[in-house]
Amino acid sequence: MIKGIFVINNHGKPRLIKDFQRMTQPEQQQTVREIFGLLSKRSDNVCNFLEGGSVTTFSKDTKLIYRHFATLYFVVAADGNESDLGLLDLVQVFVETLDKKFENVCELDLIFRSDMVHHILDEVVMGGMVLETSGKEIMDAVTAMERLELETRSAAIKA
Amino acid sequence: ATMAGSHLTREFFELIKTIGESKSKQEEDRIITDEVTRLREKTKSSKMDKRTTKEFLVRLIYAEMLGHDASFGYVKALEMVAAGNLVEKRVGYLCASLCFAPDQPLRMMLVSRLQKDMQSANILEICFALTAACKLITKDMIGAVLGDADKLLTHEKEIVRKKTVMLLHRFLQLDPASVADYDEKFRRALCDRNPAVMAASLHVYDELVRANPAANKDLVPSFVSILKQVSEGRLPRDFSYHRMPAPWIQMKLLRLLATLGHADQKASEQMYEVLLSCMTRADSGLNVGFAVLYETVRTITCIYPNTTLLDEAAACISRFISSDNHNLRYLGITSLAAIVKDHPQYATKHQMAVMRCLEDPDDTLKRKTLDLLFRMTNPANVEVIVDRLVANLRDAVDVFLRQDLVDRISEVAERFAPSTTWYVQVMTQVFELGGDLVKSSTASSVMRLIAEGGDDEDEEADNEMRTDVVETYLELIDRPGLPDMLLQTLFWVLGEYGYLAESMELPAMCDKICSLAGRAGLNKVTRGYAISAAAKLTAQVGAVVPSAQQLMDSFGASKDVDLAQRCAEFRVLASRLDMMRAVMPVDASCEDVEMEGDEGLAFLDSYVEEALAAGAQAYEKPADMAAAEAEAAAAAASHALRFSAYATPDAGTHMPEAGPSSGAGETAGPGGLQAPAGGGLSAAAGPWGQKGQWGRKPAPAPAPAAAAPAAGFPGTLPGQPGSA
């Protein structure tokens, strides 16, 4: 099971928090801080996996799978039942989708359109389990949403 | 890309800009606090239109993500869910999903909305509800939405069926009993014509199979068959990822098979063929191919062993471990750790490669390798491995890594030590390098081992061992900055076995210890050990060396009671050195103190009686004190708020209830305060006596039957906790 997905920037600020463990807000903040503490110590030439057991809100067998893109860390926290390499690819799929949707996605996109980012993520992971891994399927769902938004907006303008 | 399609206000944009430019956490906090105030104003102001509310919610989510409470705005999310168009509804659901805490009562208010949306004719609306439900549903809400979810299982759209299965998985996690009779429906999902729905059902099966493997063995043929078809590429091309057919489905199935095949020969035999085929086909050279390969290897190590498969798996592991790719090396080590437990022969081949991984600058890899080495240790290789581990401890900087190393070395050294001497040498190094990280029980074990000697009762060999230890410690004794645990062990060893030393005479040793013991800033406990060591050596030498005398004088008046006591005892015993030798026998730290026939210490009876007669207070056993405490607490608890009417004051003789607030000086009221039974204020018992450290004991309550209310008094309120 995936316990949470976090996007944190190079200064430790959270850009996206998707928690599947039912943590409280303070616990989520604590988690972000501790994850960042672990990640900022990693150099660039190491593996993409970390033991997450030292994070207080996670159980001992938790692992962190992360990728560092420019100014952002994409982190997936999962228990022992998930595939490490598989999750790494999942992050890839997610980021590729963001890129397609936002055209060269950057950090500001994550802030201003956080609702859309969440909607995209909701098509990939649901209830802590991997829902959809096909880039095409995810994009289809995203396009459907976009069309809906456009229709709604034009309807509002006409009204 | 940023402002493309942006319909957000200037206000939000400015907010983000100022936060981005803020120079400190305090400044950022201040900006967000202002923002939260602004949001709060908006909720109070006249109705926000839907568009504004939508942005409002996005900003609320943002503020909460940065750790600020904006729960005043939650109600807006509910509004949007209920009355907004699809886009707005979705944002409302999103806000609720992200922000509503597990115990937020507003969740309940969404139930009827969820039900309605799940019955909608609009696919998107159904999907929004399903996604939100997955996050928001608690155990007690399952019943309310299960019916609607059930209907959606057979919806014509695959995306709905898929998400419904995921929702049911959530129900399964929250309350397995809620979906206990869904076997048939799950089977249907597994056989769904759309592979995505089938994939979703695998999550459900993962949960079910792990909970009860035995009950699900009949699924093995189905899983094997699906895996075969998937890996042979029979799924629609959409399900391929980088030309690998449905890798995530393969991985999920492999995990299922691993659980089902574990320790079950019959089940495992059905899997061997497909596992071999998967392995061959997964070898694509791409990351995702390695992912599937790793899962196959893992499954092979979990199920009933098959030599061909294990050999193939081992070959795979070899490639992983020697790869340049860090991730693969990590997975190689992990697989090796899995295989080495039941099939150690595969590990020895890789010993050198593993050692190299231990040197890797990557901390994660190092930790995983330590874990592996730990599992690989046996009496044959323990010395080599421990050597490497200790070298690592010397260089390691990260605290968690150091703790790990200390714990593992201690455990492995104790378990597989070829000799006590070796064990003590290793532990001395660990004490030196690990300092405070070593458990205090470890030091005790080491000391005990030295004292008890070897199993074979060979006194000569034991003394040889002890001499080695003593000499080792004598070499160390002058080294500055030794950790406390090491010093304590050192002092103990020298005190007990210093006489075996070949390089130093006892008086000189005593001198050395005393000078160290007198050092400023020494830890109290360590100093205590040193003082005791000096005392023991004095007993053995038979004379008090001047440095010892000086030591005892300096600390005889110490504020620390333990040290003062040790010095006082020394001073008394030093005047009778033969007694001192009896009190501190040589090489007898493991022997019991014998008190033949006088375990009750009867010889002290007269001493005790004298003291009692002179007015000393008798000793009250802690157990008795605890019982008295409990009694008093129970009596006090019975004087909680009273909900029943007071008894009519009459001329009767029962005492009024005296709560903790009653003063001792209360004079007689109409009920009459009687003197306590037993009479006399000097009696120890009674509420106003001197007994007990709580001064007054609350008086016992009168029997409830006596508290019959007269007419005109309010009767006892029903269901109220009465007095005891």
Side-chain angles (χ1 to χ4, degrees):
Chain A
M1 177 180 162
I2 294 174
K3 308 199 174 199
I5 299 178
F6 307 87
V7 181
I8 310 172
N9 77 1
N10 287 351
H11 300 291
K13 296 218 193 116
R15 289 295 173 233
L16 182 93
I17 300 179
K18 195 78 160 178
D19 156 59
F20 295 107
Q21 277 192 140
R22 317 239 148 154
M23 290 194 271
T24 61
Q25 284 288 2
E27 283 172 341
Q28 289 179 20
Q29 296 299 309
Q30 172 86 1
T31 308
V32 167
R33 269 196 300 272
E34 292 188 27
I35 291 180
F36 181 70
L38 292 172
L39 286 179
S40 46
K41 283 193 261 181
R42 305 274 290 165
S43 62
D44 277 328
N45 272 335
V46 294
C47 67
N48 297 95
F49 313 123
L50 257 185
E51 312 282 321
S54 59
V55 176
T56 40
T57 43
F58 290 151
S59 61
K60 284 265 156 281
D61 67 336
T62 309
K63 42 202 182 162
L64 302 175
I65 296 100
Y66 73 98
R67 294 200 68 172
H68 194 188
F69 294 105
T71 62
L72 293 173
Y73 288 100
F74 282 75
V75 189
V76 179
D79 66 13
N81 290 321
E82 296 291 330
S83 157
D84 296 357
L85 278 182
L87 285 176
L88 207 52
D89 266 312
L90 200 71
V91 170
Q92 188 65 26
V93 169
F94 177 47
V95 172
E96 276 173 7
T97 313
L98 288 177
D99 229 9
K100 258 185 246 152
K101 161 70 187 148
F102 292 111
E103 281 152 47
N104 298 321
V105 62
C106 67
E107 200 174 323
L108 282 178
D109 290 315
L110 294 187
I111 305 173
F112 283 118
R113 298 308 319 275
S114 60
D115 55 324
M116 182 50 92
V117 178
H118 274 285
H119 297 332
I120 294 176
L121 194 49
D122 281 341
E123 296 300 321
V124 182
V125 180
M126 187 168 159
M129 312 301 288
V130 175
L131 172 67
E132 183 55 71
T133 53
S134 154
K136 177 183 173 298
E137 288 296 322
I138 302 169
M139 263 327 272
D140 282 350
V142 171
T143 324
M145 268 187 279
E146 280 183 313
R147 220 179 307 133
L148 181 66
E149 265 189 38
L150 278 169
E151 282 168 10
T152 328
R153 221 180 304 156
S154 58
I157 290 171
K158 284 198 198 115
Chain B
T2 309
M3 302 305 279
S6 171
H7 48 288
L8 301 166
T9 59
R10 184 120 203 104
E11 212 177 55
F12 192 22
F13 182 69
E14 286 302 324
L15 172 73
I16 304 302
K17 195 154 153 292
T18 30
I19 290 187
E21 291 165 357
S22 68
K23 295 289 188 302
S24 68
K25 181 92 176 69
Q26 289 94 319
E27 200 186 327
E28 179 189 294
D29 276 341
R30 199 183 36 80
I31 295 170
I32 304 276
T33 314
D34 287 346
E35 161 77 351
V36 168
T37 314
R38 268 196 299 275
L39 292 175
R40 201 193 293 267
E41 289 306 307
K42 281 196 196 299
T43 52
K44 290 202 214 119
S45 75
S46 55
K47 264 174 44 156
M48 278 190 276
D49 70 12
K50 300 263 190 54
R51 226 190 80 166
T52 324
T53 313
K54 181 168 171 282
E55 181 186 292
F56 168 85
L57 287 178
V58 171
R59 285 160 71 174
L60 189 155
I61 293 172
Y62 183 72
E64 291 231 329
M65 181 176 72
L66 293 183
H68 294 248
D69 177 81
S71 45
F72 54 81
Y74 289 174
V75 101
K76 290 285 172 204
L78 291 181
E79 280 174 28
M80 289 288 264
V81 169
N85 61 35
L86 282 181
V87 172
E88 290 149 5
K89 183 195 289 276
R90 185 153 205 185
V91 177
Y93 270 139
L94 179 67
C95 182
S97 301
L98 291 175
C99 301
F100 286 14
D103 54 356
Q104 169 64 255
L106 290 177
R107 280 168 177 246
M108 285 299 181
M109 303 184 61
L110 284 166
V111 173
S112 63
R113 197 65 240 174
L114 285 170
Q115 288 170 328
K116 258 181 116 187
D117 288 334
M118 289 210 274
Q119 294 161 16
S120 164
N122 183 307
I123 307 296
L124 284 176
E125 203 161 42
I126 300 177
C127 285
F128 297 167
L130 286 170
T131 308
C134 202
K135 189 75 203 310
L136 291 163
I137 293 276
T138 49
K139 186 168 159 178
D140 45 356
M141 287 158 78
I142 294 179
V145 286
L146 187 56
D148 293 303
D150 192 75
K151 290 201 204 83
L152 295 174
L153 267 179
T154 44
H155 196 277
E156 54 160 358
K157 281 287 181 182
E158 59 91 6
I159 191 169
V160 173
R161 295 200 303 279
K162 178 176 80 173
K163 294 199 175 186
T164 309
V165 172
M166 299 298 267
L167 182 59
L168 289 175
H169 171 264
R170 183 90 194 107
F171 292 172
L172 181 59
Q173 278 183 327
L174 286 171
D175 181 14
S178 64
V179 287
D181 52 354
Y182 267 66
D183 275 347
E184 201 41 58
K185 308 200 177 162
F186 290 148
R187 292 286 169 124
R188 245 179 283 145
L190 183 64
C191 305
D192 194 289
R193 62 185 183 274
N194 187 294
V197 181
M198 178 267 287
S201 77
L202 292 179
H203 293 306
V204 171
Y205 279 110
D206 191 60
E207 201 81 31
L208 291 172
V209 163
R210 265 183 301 122
N212 190 347
N216 288 288
K217 300 280 171 137
D218 59 327
L219 287 167
V220 171
S222 311
F223 292 148
V224 167
S225 158
I226 299 176
L227 182 54
K228 186 165 185 295
Q229 293 176 59
V230 172
S231 70
E232 286 171 3
R234 310 243 218 101
L235 288 183
R237 213 141 32 91
D238 280 347
F239 288 91
S240 289
Y241 177 77
H242 294 178
R243 276 174 311 185
M244 186 85 211
W248 284 279
I249 295 182
Q250 288 196 53
M251 290 192 265
K252 207 75 199 184
L253 286 165
L254 286 164
R255 290 254 169 179
L256 281 165
L257 291 177
T259 316
L260 288 169
H262 180 68
D264 182 332
Q265 185 170 7
K266 238 181 78 192
S268 299
E269 280 169 355
Q270 302 174 57
M271 305 174 193
Y272 293 156
E273 191 191 318
V274 77
L275 287 175
L276 199 52
S277 141
C278 267
M279 261 184 97
T280 329
R281 289 168 190 277
D283 217 332
S284 66
L286 290 174
N287 194 51
V288 76
F290 292 132
V292 176
L293 207 49
Y294 169 75
E295 290 298 326
T296 325
V297 167
R298 187 188 165 276
T299 303
I300 291 173
T301 57
C302 284
I303 62 176
Y304 198 81
N306 169 290
T307 325
T308 320
L309 283 178
L310 281 170
D311 285 340
E312 290 292 326
C316 219
I317 295 175
S318 279
R319 285 167 53 201
F320 280 178
I321 287 193
S322 42
S323 161
D324 285 330
N325 181 311
H326 297 268
N327 293 342
L328 290 184
R329 280 216 294 280
Y330 174 85
L331 289 182
I333 298 286
T334 313
S335 326
L336 203 53
I339 208 176
V340 86
K341 194 166 55 104
D342 298 320
H343 312 281
Q345 67 273 26
Y346 291 108
T348 23
K349 180 169 158 224
H350 297 290
Q351 209 158 300
M352 285 331 294
V354 171
M355 294 292 200
R356 250 176 284 130
C357 282
L358 201 57
E359 309 302 318
D360 200 294
D362 183 341
D363 255 352
T364 308
L365 198 54
K366 246 204 275 252
R367 308 263 318 251
K368 242 338 191 284
T369 313
L370 271 180
D371 183 70
L372 170 60
L373 274 182
F374 178 60
R375 287 164 206 262
M376 274 170 77
T377 316
N378 55 50
N381 60 20
V382 65
E383 291 178 67
V384 174
I385 290 187
V386 166
D387 244 354
R388 250 328 173 52
L389 293 177
V390 169
N392 260 267
L393 179 58
R394 190 159 292 146
D395 300 324
V397 169
D398 175 69
V399 172
F400 291 110
L401 181 59
R402 290 174 64 82
Q403 182 71 66
D404 232 357
L405 279 165
V406 165
D407 289 338
R408 309 246 191 178
I409 296 174
S410 309
E411 195 180 325
V412 135
E414 187 171 345
R415 193 145 30 121
F416 297 114
S419 70
T420 313
T421 315
W422 178 87
Y423 177 68
V424 174
Q425 309 274 22
V426 167
M427 290 320 292
T428 307
Q429 280 181 294
V430 173
F431 288 160
E432 212 187 314
L433 298 167
D436 290 329
L437 296 174
V438 187
K439 288 202 282 269
S440 55
S441 54
T442 313
S444 311
S445 309
V446 172
M447 290 187 242
R448 197 173 27 104
L449 256 170
I450 298 175
E452 283 175 358
D455 280 332
D456 48 359
E457 303 281 340
D458 183 349
E459 195 60 31
E460 211 187 292
D462 286 344
N463 278 340
E464 231 184 270
M465 174 265 289
R466 292 174 188 140
T467 313
D468 279 335
V469 174
V470 167
E471 291 296 335
T472 311
Y473 282 143
L474 282 175
E475 271 173 60
L476 278 178
I477 199 169
D478 286 318
R479 194 105 57 97
L482 293 177
D484 284 312
M485 203 167 298
L486 178 54
L487 279 174
Q488 289 164 19
T489 315
L490 187 152
F491 286 139
W492 183 89
V493 165
L494 292 180
E496 288 285 320
Y497 297 106
Y499 65 88
L500 290 172
E502 286 156 8
S503 60
M504 201 185 282
E505 293 295 329
L506 282 183
M509 206 181 293
C510 195
D511 264 338
K512 240 226 157 68
I513 291 180
C514 290
S515 73
L516 282 173
R519 260 204 329 236
L522 192 61
N523 172 279
K524 284 200 296 260
V525 175
T526 312
R527 215 195 289 276
Y529 269 87
I531 290 178
S532 295
K536 287 179 202 167
L537 288 181
T538 305
Q540 290 169 35
V541 166
V544 182
V545 301
S547 51
Q549 187 62 54
Q550 204 181 10
L551 181 69
M552 302 306 162
D553 289 338
S554 345
F555 290 99
S558 166
K559 278 196 280 237
D560 181 73
V561 177
D562 181 79
L563 293 178
Q565 178 166 344
R566 285 176 204 254
C567 294
E569 284 172 2
F570 177 93
R571 234 181 285 126
V572 168
L573 289 171
S575 59
R576 285 200 46 192
L577 284 164
D578 56 328
M579 192 195 296
M580 197 178 204
R581 261 194 298 277
V583 166
M584 299 191 185
V586 173
D587 188 19
S589 59
C590 295
E591 319 241 332
D592 289 325
V593 176
E594 305 219 346
M595 307 254 10
E596 290 175 11
D598 199 5
E599 279 84 17
L601 301 181
F603 67 93
L604 287 171
D605 281 346
S606 54
Y607 179 79
V608 170
E609 271 162 31
E610 272 175 43
L612 281 177
Q617 203 170 33
Y619 174 63
E620 204 180 318
K621 283 209 210 122
D624 294 340
M625 269 178 60
E629 253 191 68
E631 234 181 81
S638 68
H639 289 71
L641 274 187
R642 189 197 161 94
F643 291 95
S644 52
Y646 278 100
T648 335
D650 60 57
T653 54
H654 48 255
M655 293 197 275
E657 286 179 42
S661 55
S662 64
E666 241 172 67
T667 47
L673 286 173
Q674 295 296 314
L681 286 172
S682 58
W688 299 284
Q690 286 302 300
K691 177 154 176 114
Q693 55 264 52
W694 302 280
R696 275 183 297 287
K697 259 215 254 204
F713 276 84
T716 316
L717 297 167
Q720 295 293 351
S723 46

